[in-house]
C-alpha cells in the first residue's frame, strides 16, 4: 500500500469534481449478492469482445443487463434491447444491482436514480479503456454509477475536452464512482490492468456501469 492509499478508506467520499465522487468501499456489503447475480447474467449473456466501427476488437470483454444494453460492431455503437449474441433480450437487472445503484447515486447527491441499463465490463491483465465520454444516453440529468470489483485499476478522470489533463485514482474492489450534473460528460478511461490477483475474483476486474438511457 502506498502512502496515498492510506487516505482512501472505506466509508469515505472522495471528490473528483463538484458532482463527481468515489464512494470508497460502498459496494462491500453487497458483494456476495452481486457476484451471485453476475454468474447468472454471464450464463445467459456471456462476456464477449465487441468490435469497433473501425474493425478493432476491444480489449475489454462486455455484457449487459437491464432493458437496454450497449453494443458495438462494424456499424458503430448504440443501445439495443436485444443481445446480438443470443438473439434474446438482455438478462433483467437484478434487484441487488438497482438497489446498489440507487443508494450510491443518492449518497453522491442524486436522488431517485433509476437505471435502465447496466454495462458489465471484464478486464483481464492488459485490458484497457481509452478516454471517452458517456454520451449515447438520451438524458444527461441522470448520473453515471460505476462499481468496481476484483483487481485494482487506475481510473483516469479528465475534463470536458480530451486534451485536458486527467486525474489518476485507484479503484479498489467495492469502490463506487458516481459522476453527474456538471461533471456528467467528463472524459474518463482505465489504464491497462496490472498488479495482484484479487482473492475472490482472481486475475479479473469487473466493472458495472449503471446508466439511465431512455
Ligand atoms: C466505463 O467507462 O465504461 C468503465 C469505467 C471502468 O471500468 O471503471
Ligand atoms: Fe464510460
Amino acid at each position: 500500500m502506498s502512502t496515498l492509499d492510506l487516505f482512501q478508506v472505506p466509508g469515505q467520499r472522495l471528490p473528483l469534481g463538484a458532482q463527481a465522487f468515489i464512494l470508497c468501499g460502498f459496494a462491500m456489503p453487497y458483494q456476495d449478492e452481486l457476484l451471485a447475480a453476475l454468474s447468472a447474467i454471464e450464463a445467459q449473456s456471456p462476456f464477449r469482445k465487441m468490435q469497433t466501427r473501425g474493425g478493432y476488437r476491444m480489449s475489454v470483454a462486455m455484457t449487459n443487463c437491464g432493458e437496454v444494453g450497449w453494443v458495438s460492431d462494424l456499424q458503430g455503437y448504440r443501445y439495443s434491447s436485444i443481445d446480438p449474441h443470443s438473439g434474446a433480450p438482455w438478462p433483467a437487472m437484478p434487484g441487488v444491482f438497482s438497489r446498489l445503484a440507487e443508494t450510491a447515486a443518492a449518497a453522491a447527491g442524486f436522488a431517485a436514480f433509476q437505471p435502465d441499463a447496466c454495462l458489465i465490463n471484464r478486464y483481464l491483465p492488459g485490458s484497457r479503456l481509452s478516454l471517452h465520454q458517456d454520451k449515447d444516453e438520451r438524458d444527461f440529468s441522470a448520473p453515471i454509477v460505476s462499481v468496481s470489483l476484483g483487481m485494482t485499476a487506475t481510473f483516469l478522470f479528465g475534463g470536458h475536452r480530451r486534451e485536458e489533463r486527467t486525474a489518476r485514482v485507484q479503484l479498489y474492489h467495492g469502490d463506487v464512482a458516481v459522476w453527474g450534473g456538471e461533471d456528467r460528460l467528463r472524459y474518463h478511461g482505465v489504464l491497462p490492468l496490472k498488479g495482484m490477483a484479487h482473492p475472490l475474483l482472481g486475475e479479473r476486474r469487473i466493472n458495472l456501469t449503471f446508466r439511465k438511457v431512455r
Side-chain angles (χ1 to χ4, degrees):
M1 197 184 264
S2 76
T3 322
L4 225 113
D5 295 332
L6 295 172
F7 296 105
Q8 219 161 313
V9 290
Q12 188 187 24
R13 196 170 92 153
L14 200 75
L16 293 177
Q19 292 185 284
F21 303 94
I22 295 172
L23 310 174
C24 301
F26 194 91
M28 287 310 284
Y30 300 80
Q31 66 166 356
D32 294 346
E33 269 189 275
L34 290 176
L35 293 175
L38 184 65
S39 309
I41 292 168
E42 263 190 84
Q44 199 177 326
S45 281
F47 285 105
R48 79 296 302 264
K49 289 186 176 180
M50 298 186 191
Q51 272 187 299
T52 63
R53 199 206 308 262
Y56 292 100
R57 218 160 266 285
M58 301 177 72
S59 66
V60 176
M62 299 174 172
T63 185
N64 291 276
C65 66
E67 284 161 44
V68 286
W70 189 90
V71 294
S72 178
D73 57 23
L74 296 173
Q75 275 78 58
Y77 46 77
R78 62 194 170 278
Y79 281 98
S80 164
S81 57
I82 299 294
D83 174 357
H85 183 89
S86 65
W90 296 102
M93 178 106 57
V96 60
F97 277 35
S98 16
R99 253 186 297 128
L100 168 58
E102 187 180 339
T103 316
F110 301 95
F113 176 51
Q114 288 198 327
D116 54 10
C118 176
L119 169 65
I120 308 173
N121 296 312
R122 186 195 64 197
Y123 298 75
L124 302 182
S127 303
R128 60 188 288 273
L129 199 62
S130 51
L131 276 185
H132 66 278
Q133 292 171 296
D134 288 8
K135 58 173 184 189
D136 306 322
E137 301 73 31
R138 196 169 293 167
D139 178 5
F140 295 143
S141 66
I144 300 290
V145 173
S146 171
V147 178
S148 291
L149 297 168
M151 284 175 68
T152 303
T154 304
F155 185 59
L156 304 175
F157 199 69
H160 286 88
R161 288 176 306 119
R162 188 182 295 279
E163 309 73 50
E164 276 175 63
R165 74 171 289 278
T166 54
R168 285 181 180 210
V169 277
Q170 300 297 103
L171 291 179
Y172 298 98
H173 176 78
D175 284 351
V176 181
V178 182
W179 61 96
E182 66 178 69
D183 296 317
R184 173 64 178 72
L185 289 172
R186 284 173 64 171
Y187 276 88
H188 58 280
V190 177
L191 289 185
L193 189 72
K194 60 173 189 173
M196 278 194 313
H198 185 269
L200 272 181
L201 283 113
E203 286 206 302
R204 281 189 300 164
R205 171 177 185 260
I206 302 287
N207 168 262
L208 314 174
T209 296
F210 294 93
R211 301 166 176 153
K212 173 93 181 109
V213 173
R214 292 183 163 164

